Amino acid sequence: MEDTKKQALLEGIEAIKQDIKHSTSELQTKKQAKAAQAELEPLLNKLKDLKAKLVASEKEFKDAYPDAAGQGLSKKEAKKAASKAAKKKGTEGAAEPVKEQQSFDNFGVRPLIRSEERTHKVYTNVGNLSAAKDGETVFVRARLYTVRGTGNKLAFVVLRQRTATVQAVLEKNETVSVEMIKFTKGIHRESLVDVEGVVTKAGTEIASCTQKDVELRVTSLFVVSQTLLQELPLLLEDASRPAPILKAQKAQIRKIQAEASAVEAELEQAKKEGKDVTELQAKLEDLSRQKSEAQKFVKVGQKTRLDNRILDLRTSANNAIFRIQSGVCQLFREFLLGQSFTEIHTPKMISAASEGGAGVFKLGYFDGFAYLAQSPQLYKQMAICADFERVFEIGPVFRAENSNTHRHLTEFVGLDLEMAFHEHYHEVLDVLDALFTFLFDGLKNRYAVELEAVRAQYPFEDLKYTSPSPRIEFKEAIALLREDGVEIGDYDDLSTPQEKHLGKLVKKKYGVDFYILDKFPSAIRPFYTMPDPKNPNYSNSYDLFIRTEEICSGAQRIHDAALLEEKAKEKGVSIPTIQAYIDAFKYGAPPHAGGGVGLERVVMLYLGLSNIRKSSLFPRDPTRLTP
C-alpha cells in the first residue's frame, strides 16, 4: 500500500513536469509568432500555478518519504513514472510522433500517395453521417481534431471535415488492439487520417460535434498526411472559440482589474497613514487569484490568425464564410445571366488611372509603366458602346489607398455590372434591387448550414430587407440626420460615422438593414456621372447599404462625348490619359448605368462580421503582402 502511494506521488510530480514542459513549449511558440501580451498572459499564469503546484507536490513527497528526499529517481523509475503519468494525461500520453514504419493490418501510416493505383473505395462525407446510416460500415477521410482517453483500452477522437465533426471511438476488442489505441493517441492534431468504422447511434447527444446523434466505432485508422509540428502555432479550439465567450472573459477580467486597481490605491493610502494593510493585501492576492482563474481561454489575435492563415481557415466558421462567399458569386452570376447579361473579363493592367485618381499601383511595363485597374468601369462602358447592352464581371480590383480600417483592402473582388436602359436610370436601379433580394433569399435558403456554422462562433442577427427596398434621396437623408442633431451641409459627403448614424435612422423608420440612397451631390461623384437634369448640383447616382455601411456605388454614366470631356476637365482629369475612353462615345452610345460591389464587404456585412479581413481569403492591406 505504501509503495502504491509513493508511486502515485512520483507519477503526479512527473505529470506536473510534463505539463510545465508542454506549456513552456507552447509559450515559446507563441512568443516566436509575436503573439500579443493578452495571449501570453493565460500561459504565464498557468506556468506560475504549475510551478507552485510542483513545489507543493515535491514538499509532500519529501515530508512523507524523508529517506528518499534528495536521492531523486533512477532513470528506470523516472521513465516508469513518466509513462504512467502520460497515460493519465490521455491525448498527451503519446509524446512521440507516429513513424512511417508503424504500419499494421488495420492501423499505421499510409505510404505517400503517388497515384499508383485506384481502388474505387467510396468515402462518405462526415456531414452525411446520421442515424439513418446506423450499422453501416463507412470510410471517411478527415482531420484528427482532438483525441482523448484514459489508459490503453479506450480513446475518443473527434474527426473534422470542413464544417462537420463526428466522434470516433476506439475500444479494445478483437479488432482494436492496445497498440492501435496507443498509436492513435500519438498522432499529431490536424493530421489527415483515413478511418473505417461502423456508424452507431449515440446513447446521448454528442454536444461537442455537429453530428450529434451518431458516432463511429473505429475498425481501422491510417495516417494519410501527418502534421509535422507537435506544437501548432495556434490551436483550432482556440481559433474556433465563440466570440461571446471571449467577450465575457474580457469583461470579467476588466472588472477584476478595476477592483484590483481600487484596492491598490486604497492599500497605498493605508500605508501612508500607517494603518494595518493585512486585510487589503489578502484581498489583493485574492483578486490576483480570481484574475488567473478567469483567464481560462486563449484569444487568438488577428495577426496570429493571418500569419497562420492555413490553420485559421480550417475552423468551421471560416470554412463556412468562404462557402458563403462562393455562394454570393454564384447567385450574382446566376441572376444576371437570367437577365440576359454577358459576363466579360477586362484588362487589369492599364495605361492610366481608370478613374483619374491618384490611388493606383504603378508597375514597370517593358520600357514604360502601367497601372493596376481601380475598377473595370471604363471597359464596362466601352462594352456597352460595343452593343453588348448588359454586361457583368467578377474580378480583382486594386486600390493603392493607405486605409487601415475594418472595411478597406488594397485588393478585393469586384462584382461589377453595366446596363443600357431606355428612358430612366431607375430601370437599372430596379435590376440592382432585385439582384440583392435574389442574393439574400438565395443565401438564406441554400446556405442555412453554413450560416449556422458562422453564427456559432460569430453570432449575428438575420438581415432584414424588403422587396422593393426603401429608396431615399440624398436630400431626405440630410434632413433625417439634421432632425437627429447631426450638423451637415447640403452637399457634404457622408463620413463613416454619419453613414452609420443614417443607417440606424433608416432601420428605425423602415425596419430594414438594406436600403438605397439616391441622387448624390455632383461634387462628390466621378467625372463620368450624369448630372441630375432638374438640379445640376445633384447627380443620377446611388449607393446601396447593408447594416449601415455602403456596399455598392453606381450611377448613370455620361454617354455624350462632348459632355464627358467637359466634365473630365472640370474634375482635373488629363484628357490624353482617357482619350480612348472618350473616343468610344463618338460612335453613338446608348444611355446606360451600372454599379460596383465589393464582394468581401457584402459577405462581412451580411454576416455581421467585425472586420473585412475575416471575409478575405488572404487579405491584402497596406501592412500585409503575405501569406
Side-chain angles (χ1 to χ4, degrees):
M1 189 72 177
E2 189 69 16
D3 286 344
T4 303
K5 181 182 176 182
K6 180 179 178 181
Q7 189 63 32
L9 281 170
L10 291 174
E11 288 170 14
I13 289 169
E14 288 299 324
I16 296 169
K17 287 179 178 178
Q18 282 194 19
D19 264 350
I20 291 173
K21 183 178 178 182
H22 176 81
S23 297
T24 301
S25 176
E26 187 178 351
L27 181 65
Q28 288 299 115
T29 302
K30 288 186 179 293
K31 282 182 176 179
Q32 288 169 5
K34 297 182 180 177
Q37 186 62 29
E39 291 183 53
L40 301 179
E41 272 191 23
L43 275 174
L44 290 168
N45 289 327
K46 183 180 178 182
L47 273 170
K48 183 179 176 182
D49 291 343
L50 284 170
K51 288 174 181 177
K53 192 174 178 182
L54 179 62
V55 170
S57 296
E58 287 179 336
K59 184 178 184 302
E60 183 183 356
F61 180 79
K62 181 179 178 181
D63 291 344
Y65 305 100
D67 292 340
Q71 296 175 12
L73 296 174
S74 68
K75 287 185 180 179
K76 185 177 180 181
E77 287 175 322
K79 187 175 180 182
K80 185 178 179 182
S83 176
K84 287 197 173 185
K87 288 176 184 176
K88 290 180 180 179
K89 289 293 290 178
T91 60
E92 295 168 19
E96 292 187 13
V98 295
K99 296 180 175 60
E100 194 161 340
Q101 64 266 28
Q102 289 178 288
S103 197
F104 300 86
D105 289 341
N106 66 334
F107 72 94
V109 180
R110 286 206 190 287
L112 184 66
I113 296 175
R114 302 176 185 272
S115 301
E116 293 173 0
E117 61 176 352
R118 190 176 180 188
T119 64
H120 296 282
K121 185 184 292 183
V122 177
Y123 286 82
T124 301
N125 286 333
V126 168
N128 293 334
L129 298 176
S130 67
K133 295 184 181 291
D134 184 42
E136 290 185 24
T137 297
V138 297
F139 295 94
V140 300
R141 177 169 291 176
R143 297 276 179 190
L144 189 144
Y145 187 42
T146 62
V147 55
R148 61 186 174 83
T150 55
N152 293 320
K153 295 184 178 180
L154 185 66
F156 296 93
V157 175
V158 174
L159 300 172
R160 189 191 74 251
Q161 184 182 21
R162 302 200 73 168
T163 59
T165 53
V166 69
Q167 178 171 278
V169 182
L170 291 90
E171 189 171 13
K172 184 180 178 302
N173 54 36
E174 62 276 6
T175 303
V176 178
S177 64
V178 168
E179 288 76 19
M180 181 176 177
I181 294 172
K182 284 183 178 180
F183 171 84
T184 302
K185 288 182 179 181
I187 301 172
H188 292 170
R189 289 181 177 190
E190 290 304 299
S191 294
L192 199 62
V193 295
D194 275 352
V195 176
E196 179 185 4
V198 179
V199 180
T200 308
K201 285 184 181 179
T204 56
E205 183 182 275
I206 303 170
S208 60
C209 295
T210 61
Q211 312 312 105
K212 300 181 183 303
D213 57 349
V214 294
E215 60 186 15
L216 271 183
R217 290 282 168 170
V218 178
T219 54
S220 76
L221 187 150
F222 288 89
V223 174
V224 177
S225 179
Q226 185 179 197
T227 301
L228 299 180
L229 300 175
Q230 189 169 5
E231 298 297 330
L232 298 173
L234 60 84
L235 296 179
L236 267 288
E237 302 99 295
D238 293 335
S240 303
R241 190 161 289 114
I245 291 176
L246 294 171
K247 187 177 180 181
Q249 175 179 272
K250 185 177 181 180
Q252 185 182 3
I253 292 170
R254 278 183 174 174
K255 183 181 177 183
I256 294 169
Q257 285 174 332
E259 289 180 30
S261 295
V263 173
E264 284 174 351
E266 193 178 345
L267 181 65
E268 287 303 312
Q269 185 61 34
K271 285 179 178 178
K272 288 178 182 177
E273 296 173 1
K275 294 180 180 179
D276 183 16
V277 296
T278 306
E279 188 176 334
L280 289 171
Q281 286 175 332
K283 190 174 182 180
L284 201 57
E285 287 175 9
D286 183 57
L287 286 169
S288 178
R289 179 189 56 76
Q290 287 181 38
K291 182 182 175 183
S292 179
E293 290 175 355
Q295 292 173 324
K296 299 175 184 176
F297 308 113
V298 173
K299 179 182 178 181
V300 183
Q302 180 175 277
K303 184 179 185 303
T304 302
R305 286 180 180 275
L306 297 181
D307 287 345
N308 302 280
R309 191 61 163 158
I310 298 299
L311 286 175
D312 184 44
L313 288 171
R314 290 181 186 177
T315 66
S316 293
N318 277 336
N319 247 258
I321 286 170
F322 291 99
R323 283 180 64 82
I324 290 166
Q325 187 189 87
S326 173
V328 171
C329 291
Q330 178 189 341
L331 292 162
F332 181 83
R333 182 177 278 117
E334 184 180 322
F335 177 85
L336 293 178
L337 290 174
Q339 296 290 320
S340 300
F341 279 72
T342 299
E343 183 169 7
I344 61 173
H345 304 283
T346 63
K348 301 308 164 199
M349 291 190 298
I350 57 178
S351 62
S354 51
E355 295 187 12
V360 292
F361 289 108
K362 186 177 181 180
L363 59 151
Y365 192 74
F366 299 103
D367 294 332
F369 295 98
Y371 302 87
L372 294 179
Q374 289 171 299
S375 80
Q377 179 58 52
L378 310 187
Y379 289 99
K380 286 190 303 176
Q381 290 186 253
M382 291 164 79
I384 297 299
C385 292
D387 290 344
F388 280 48
E389 292 192 352
R390 297 181 171 204
V391 298
F392 74 92
E393 178 173 14
I394 301 175
V397 175
F398 304 92
R399 300 285 169 89
E401 298 168 354
N402 193 15
S403 297
N404 294 284
T405 74
H406 77 285
R407 64 176 187 171
H408 287 98
L409 295 170
T410 53
E411 179 184 351
F412 61 90
V413 178
L415 307 176
D416 282 87
L417 65 87
E418 203 73 23
M419 168 184 157
F421 63 83
H422 294 103
E423 298 176 333
H424 200 288
Y425 74 96
H426 280 185
E427 295 169 40
V428 180
L429 205 50
D430 289 343
V431 171
L432 269 170
D433 194 0
L435 164 64
F436 275 94
T437 299
F438 179 82
L439 195 153
F440 298 150
D441 286 344
L443 291 178
K444 182 171 63 178
N445 297 328
R446 301 185 198 179
Y447 293 88
V449 172
E450 287 79 9
L451 291 173
E452 290 311 306
V454 176
R455 202 191 308 269
Q457 183 166 358
Y458 304 112
F460 65 94
E461 292 182 2
D462 289 336
L463 190 79
K464 291 179 173 59
Y465 58 97
T466 57
S467 182
S469 306
R471 290 186 194 178
I472 304 165
E473 288 200 3
F474 194 84
K475 286 184 283 189
E476 182 186 347
I478 295 296
L480 281 173
L481 287 168
R482 285 174 177 167
E483 286 171 13
D484 209 52
V486 177
E487 293 185 10
I488 185 171
D490 288 347
Y491 309 118
D492 290 350
D493 199 0
L494 297 175
S495 65
T496 299
Q498 287 168 344
E499 279 185 2
K500 289 182 176 293
H501 194 148
L502 177 62
K504 290 174 183 176
L505 295 176
V506 171
K507 178 74 174 282
K508 184 178 180 181
K509 184 173 182 178
Y510 297 98
V512 296
D513 296 308
F514 176 73
Y515 72 97
I516 299 168
L517 189 58
D518 194 15
K519 297 289 184 186
F520 275 75
S522 296
I524 61 175
R525 302 305 268 198
F527 72 91
Y528 48 73
T529 305
M530 181 68 76
D532 182 345
K534 296 178 182 177
N535 186 345
N537 289 322
Y538 293 96
S539 62
N540 296 345
S541 61
Y542 41 82
D543 280 1
L544 281 63
F545 292 80
I546 295 178
R547 299 192 201 273
T548 77
E549 297 192 42
E550 175 255 316
I551 49 93
C552 172
S553 187
Q556 177 184 353
R557 326 299 186 179
I558 294 173
H559 57 284
D560 177 82
L563 181 59
L564 187 62
E565 185 169 341
E566 176 190 326
K567 293 297 178 183
K569 288 177 180 177
E570 286 180 10
K571 295 280 187 178
V573 177
S574 171
I575 300 303
T577 64
I578 59 166
Q579 193 61 57
Y581 169 63
I582 293 174
D583 289 346
F585 296 94
K586 293 180 178 178
Y587 306 104
H592 57 281
V597 181
L599 172 63
E600 291 86 349
R601 196 177 290 189
V602 169
V603 174
M604 173 186 78
L605 294 171
Y606 182 84
L607 297 174
L609 299 173
S610 61
N611 196 297
I612 199 167
R613 290 154 188 81
K614 287 185 170 73
S615 57
S616 176
L617 195 66
F618 295 100
R620 293 290 178 264
D621 61 33
T623 64
R624 181 169 291 277
L625 265 176
T626 58

